Amino acid sequence: MIFKVYYQESLKQVPVRENTKTIYMAADSEREVRTKLSDRPFNIEYVEAVKGKYLEYEQQNEDFEVLEIE
């Protein structure tokens, strides 16, 4: 499953919508996404599953790239 992760680049940074970045990750669950990103200094705001028409829409974006972390 593909997940879209909304995050700030610093754990110390207060979430501000204009500074929010996104990445896409392949994982089996939200917990797995958070575990895989735990070694990075990200302040994760929200993780959502992307599927169906929503996934098709996101794939049309030229910046769409799925991050594979073991």
Side-chain angles (χ1 to χ4, degrees):
M1 183 177 287
I2 305 297
F3 289 89
K4 186 174 185 178
V5 181
Y6 298 86
Y7 69 97
Q8 303 291 318
E9 291 186 320
S10 171
L11 287 170
K12 297 177 183 177
Q13 187 175 359
V14 175
V16 176
R17 180 58 52 199
E18 291 79 17
N19 298 332
T20 299
K21 304 215 185 278
T22 59
I23 56 172
Y24 300 91
M25 286 191 62
D28 294 326
S29 67
E30 179 182 336
R31 175 178 276 183
E32 184 179 349
V33 170
R34 290 181 180 275
T35 301
K36 287 181 175 182
L37 292 175
S38 65
D39 65 334
R40 296 173 187 228
F42 292 164
N43 182 1
I44 298 173
E45 291 181 42
Y46 185 64
V47 178
E48 73 176 318
V50 181
K51 55 188 170 186
K53 295 283 185 187
Y54 185 30
L55 178 58
E56 291 174 21
Y57 173 78
E58 291 291 339
Q59 287 173 330
Q60 293 174 9
N61 185 344
E62 63 185 38
D63 296 329
F64 182 83
E65 181 180 332
V66 177
L67 187 61
E68 299 277 343
I69 299 176
E70 294 299 320

